[in-house]
Amino acid sequence: MDSTRVTEHPTSFDRPQTGADPADPRGALLRTPVPPRAPGAALPAQGRTGEPPPASGTGAFEHSQPGAEPSVGREASRPRPAAEGVPLQPGGTPSGPLAPAGPERRGPLPEPERRTGQPTAPGQPTPMRRDGDRLRFVGAATRRIARGMDLDEIVMGLCRATVPTFADAILVYLREPLPVGDERPTGPLVLRLRRTDRIPAERDTESGFTPAAQPEPSELESVGSELCEVRPGSALAEVLRGVRPVFTDGPAALAALPELLGEGEEFAVPDGRRAILAPLRGRRRVIGAALFLRGPERVAFEADDLLVAAQLATHSALGIDKAVLYGREAYIADELQRTMLPENLPRCTGVRLASRYLPAAETARVGGDWYDAIPLPGSRVALVVGDVMGHSMTSAAIMGQLRTTAQTLAGLDLPPQEVLHHLDEQAQRLGTDRMATCLYAVYDPVSHRITIANAGHPPPVLLHLGGRAEVLRVPAGAPIGVGGVDFEAVELDAPAGATLLLYTDGLVESRLRDVWTGIEQLRERLAATAQLTGPDHPPPLEALCDEVLDMLGPGDRDDDIALLAARFDGIAPSDVAYWFLEPEDSAPGRARRLARRALARWGMEDLTDSVELLVSEVVTNAVRYASRPVTLRLLRTDVLRCEVGDDVPQLPRLRQARATDEGGRGLYLVNRLARRWGATRLSTGKVVWFELNRG
């Protein structure tokens, strides 16, 4: 038995090598870092190509990571890996085992030669020679692809992970349009060039970064047409149906290149096994293709590289499928958000409005917060803000139902506390766990008063004209959905020039502060903003909303935020004329005389004929069916508004009178002469109104 003691260096089968991450933004090549060694220590040399291997038991060193320290004194009890563990270089001979250190190989070897045992030109991308290199590359590349959320990020991740580590250039084709989920695509299969990537012309050589060999512009930079149609039964269709990546030197792929790249462009693809065509197959169907290219100066692809291309194509295709589904969900969320919230706030008499909505995060674009402004009879306006628990589409759907219910109840001109009571009943019908908070307020610009009812919502803040910000004391109430709870309404002054701010709890409450601390900060911010414009001029509404949102810090976006600001301008008593008319035959004539006097007092005599005619027609219809006194009111704002109220709940309908009818033409005249007109049902009857432009 030979007692010769040998010293072994760990091989790549014993200790994994640390490869470079292909996600390096500068496209670092796969390399094996060289561990430091003691000064003066000789580096064992690799055997030259063609040299015979040393005999066993001669003290030869065997290693695959240059620079590793020898383990002196350890018994050679393990079998050494065979020399054929190192793959062959294409067009070359197998690299033999490493030779003992000798005087002719004293210095450190070039990096590519240490990796493969064969010399490589300086600056040339190092090929992945071992299975461990490929596994590390695939792992890092798939992690980079998986980080993408949308389509562009995933495709870019595939390109950046591939070039230059695996290929010198890549072309990614995707189906146009991309099918979503289980949708069946209609029309022919059309592939569009989505993205290309290749080694740039110049590389950063600072900090020891080795430049990669550049492909010839004539061979890689001009490859690819933007659009191609895959004809049924064609060579490209057969390759895509096969799903697995193929070398382009095969007959099928070679015939498919002109169809994919365009006639004549296939000659720009390098010869030999330097191009791989990989179909991109999602869960249901082929959604594209990827073409990996290597330049002529680089080592060609190997058979194992087809497995790498298959892994990249599979992960990319599944990621694209998910990105398309995510994009569709985001589109639905955006549409749901757009339809659930008012697109434009109404223009109401005596009040100016502004609003803001901020989702909790970009990935949760819809939630349960909403705001609304609803015109009411008598130039009044209902201001609503609410918050349904949660940020999901379910919360948004419940919010939409509650908002629609609130609009319907507001059209019935119910008191604020009654509106909240019916909203509570509606929430209970939707489910036992449907909870929401809501604040409902009605502003009357003629009386300069506001009536507010609250259902568990944060109190509003009133900014007075002088700059004083006041948190209104309104009953808290129970949230909507609790059931069996009475709501209480309070009536407060709403002076001209004041601003009422309604908001949801996302503005004042977060993980960093409680709700009352946030309300105090909001009050201070409003007061400080009002000081900038002086005591006689309120701050602009839009700028005020922006200032309020600026109080949010980085950690304050835990919830959705809905904000509604109302500037009370009111209507001066001198611009209002109000009368009661008994339901008798003389009422229309009296209404004409009263309207003529009011117009003369306001200097609007040019509207006398039109107003007298329309007032006479509307009052005549009201007197015909009313049993109680009829109300007539004229309002002078930017337009002239006339309102006639009675105790009959039936709303008038516009219809075309026949030639033999004696009546039925009053509303037709109103519709032709008035700027706008309408009818609104009240709890005690109805109001018919019309507007005329001021001359």
Side-chain angles (χ1 to χ4, degrees):
M1 178 178 179
D2 189 4
S3 60
T4 303
R5 302 177 61 87
V6 297
T7 303
E8 291 189 19
H9 286 269
T11 67
S12 61
F13 298 88
D14 304 326
R15 183 174 58 188
Q17 302 180 13
T18 305
D21 187 355
D24 190 324
R26 299 186 296 179
L29 306 179
L30 286 177
R31 298 181 180 277
T32 305
V34 181
R37 56 191 179 89
L43 180 66
Q46 292 180 327
R48 302 178 184 273
T49 304
E51 291 183 357
S56 176
T58 60
F61 293 101
E62 180 178 279
H63 65 88
S64 64
Q65 294 191 7
E69 294 293 339
S71 301
V72 181
R74 183 166 45 179
E75 290 292 338
S77 57
R78 293 177 299 175
R80 300 174 182 176
E84 56 269 15
V86 181
L88 295 176
Q89 287 278 4
T93 57
S95 56
L98 302 178
E104 70 280 6
R105 298 295 298 271
R106 288 289 184 179
L109 298 177
E111 178 70 25
E113 187 174 352
R114 292 202 304 266
R115 290 293 307 276
T116 64
Q118 296 185 3
T120 305
Q124 179 178 346
T126 305
M128 292 180 293
R129 302 308 305 152
R130 298 184 184 274
D131 293 339
D133 292 338
R134 291 189 175 89
L135 290 176
R136 282 188 292 273
F137 165 72
V138 170
T142 53
R143 286 193 300 270
R144 178 159 192 165
I145 295 171
R147 283 199 299 264
M149 290 294 295
D150 58 17
L151 184 62
D152 292 333
E153 290 179 352
I154 293 174
V155 175
M156 181 182 295
L158 171 63
C159 295
R160 296 291 174 83
T162 302
V163 178
T165 308
F166 182 69
D168 293 335
I170 182 175
L171 286 78
V172 180
Y173 289 83
L174 294 181
R175 190 165 190 154
E176 180 74 20
L178 280 169
V180 181
D182 296 333
E183 291 182 357
R184 287 185 173 273
T186 59
L189 173 58
V190 177
L191 298 181
R192 180 179 294 275
L193 183 61
R194 184 77 183 193
R195 185 179 178 87
T196 63
D197 204 354
R198 55 182 174 270
I199 299 178
E202 295 182 0
R203 303 296 300 275
D204 182 13
T205 57
E206 298 180 1
S207 304
F209 184 75
T210 305
Q214 306 305 318
E216 293 295 332
S218 60
E219 298 215 0
L220 295 182
E221 294 186 5
S222 61
V223 175
S225 61
E226 184 179 356
L227 198 67
C228 75
E229 180 178 345
V230 182
R231 298 181 299 273
S234 63
L236 181 57
E238 294 299 325
V239 172
L240 296 179
R241 186 179 295 110
V243 178
R244 295 183 179 180
V246 294
F247 291 117
T248 57
D249 59 349
L254 196 60
L257 283 180
E259 187 177 354
L260 179 66
L261 305 178
E263 294 294 337
E265 295 290 342
E266 73 275 9
F267 296 105
V269 177
D271 297 331
R273 292 191 169 185
R274 288 183 170 83
I276 295 178
L277 179 59
L280 302 178
R281 180 177 178 85
R283 297 182 303 166
R284 302 283 182 179
R285 60 187 67 85
V286 173
I287 60 174
L291 184 63
F292 304 94
L293 302 171
R294 283 184 180 178
E297 72 285 342
R298 187 170 178 178
V299 64
F301 288 111
E302 300 177 354
D304 289 343
D305 292 327
L306 292 177
L307 301 178
V308 176
Q311 288 292 325
L312 296 177
T314 300
H315 284 275
S316 300
L318 293 178
I320 291 171
D321 257 356
K322 295 178 182 179
V324 172
L325 290 174
Y326 173 77
R328 172 62 62 88
E329 182 179 352
Y331 170 78
I332 295 174
D334 289 340
E335 287 296 307
L336 186 63
Q337 180 67 55
R338 185 184 63 82
T339 55
M340 290 300 179
L341 295 178
E343 185 174 356
N344 295 306
L345 293 174
R347 297 184 60 184
C348 304
T349 303
V351 61
R352 286 174 286 171
L353 303 171
S355 62
R356 294 290 187 275
Y357 177 83
L358 292 179
E362 287 297 326
T363 55
R365 304 180 185 180
V366 292
D369 294 16
W370 91 91
Y371 61 88
D372 209 347
I374 309 169
L376 298 178
S379 299
R380 297 171 300 155
V381 59
L383 307 174
V384 190
V385 64
D387 183 4
V388 179
M389 291 191 309
H391 309 118
S392 63
M393 290 189 182
T394 302
S395 301
I398 296 173
M399 175 266 287
Q401 297 182 65
L402 294 180
R403 178 174 175 247
T404 303
T405 303
Q407 289 179 334
T408 304
L409 297 172
L412 299 176
D413 197 32
L414 297 178
Q417 63 272 21
E418 291 296 326
V419 172
L420 294 185
H421 175 73
H422 289 291
L423 285 177
D424 179 66
E425 292 180 341
Q426 176 67 13
Q428 294 180 64
R429 285 191 291 268
L430 294 177
T432 57
D433 57 344
R434 308 309 187 191
M435 304 286 291
T437 63
C438 182
L439 191 143
Y440 188 93
V442 176
Y443 169 65
D444 189 344
V446 176
S447 63
H448 297 271
R449 303 282 288 179
I450 186 169
T451 306
I452 305 176
N454 190 14
H457 205 77
V461 180
L462 184 65
L463 178 63
H464 293 269
L465 184 59
R468 181 174 63 91
E470 174 189 6
V471 180
L472 298 182
R473 297 183 178 181
V474 296
I480 291 174
V482 173
V485 179
D486 291 332
F487 299 97
E488 182 181 355
V490 294
E491 188 174 353
L492 304 172
D493 289 330
T499 303
L500 183 69
L501 196 70
L502 308 179
Y503 53 91
T504 55
D505 58 354
L507 180 65
V508 295
E509 185 180 19
S510 68
R511 291 170 294 178
L512 305 179
R513 58 182 176 179
D514 61 89
V515 61
W516 290 108
T517 301
I519 292 176
E520 181 62 22
Q521 293 178 359
L522 173 61
R523 188 191 65 80
E524 294 175 355
R525 173 58 67 95
L526 290 174
T529 304
Q531 296 298 327
L532 299 177
T533 57
D536 300 330
H537 302 281
L541 272 183
E542 298 294 338
L544 182 65
C545 292
D546 294 336
E547 286 292 330
V548 168
L549 294 180
D550 284 343
M551 66 179 284
L552 298 172
D556 293 341
R557 293 287 301 279
D558 298 334
D559 198 358
D560 300 355
I561 298 174
L563 181 66
L564 179 63
R567 173 72 44 77
F568 299 143
D569 295 332
I571 300 177
S574 59
D575 294 331
V576 181
Y578 192 84
W579 304 279
F580 286 95
L581 304 175
E582 293 296 331
E584 52 191 20
D585 295 340
S586 61
R590 186 185 176 206
R592 289 193 297 268
R593 292 192 301 271
L594 295 173
R596 184 167 57 250
R597 294 173 186 173
L599 294 177
R601 186 171 66 252
W602 291 336
M604 303 171 64
E605 290 86 352
D606 54 333
L607 297 179
T608 300
D609 294 339
S610 299
V611 172
E612 285 188 1
L613 176 60
L614 299 183
V615 165
S616 178
E617 293 293 338
V618 176
V619 171
T620 299
N621 291 337
V623 169
R624 179 177 300 176
Y625 304 104
S627 59
R628 296 182 181 180
V630 175
T631 61
L632 172 62
R633 184 165 72 170
L634 295 179
L635 301 174
R636 183 183 65 167
T637 57
D638 55 340
V639 296
L640 179 66
R641 182 182 177 96
C642 177
E643 299 174 351
V644 178
D646 57 59
D647 59 345
V648 181
Q650 286 79 16
L651 299 180
R653 294 288 183 265
L654 180 65
R655 64 183 181 88
Q656 186 69 37
R658 293 174 295 181
T660 57
D661 291 342
E662 296 183 0
R665 296 174 178 83
L667 288 181
Y668 179 77
L669 294 175
V670 174
N671 184 64
R672 292 297 300 269
L673 297 179
R675 173 179 175 265
R676 291 195 310 157
W677 77 277
T680 306
R681 183 178 287 108
L682 304 177
S683 57
T684 58
K686 70 175 181 294
V687 168
V688 180
W689 57 270
F690 63 86
E691 293 178 353
L692 294 173
N693 292 322
R694 296 178 57 175

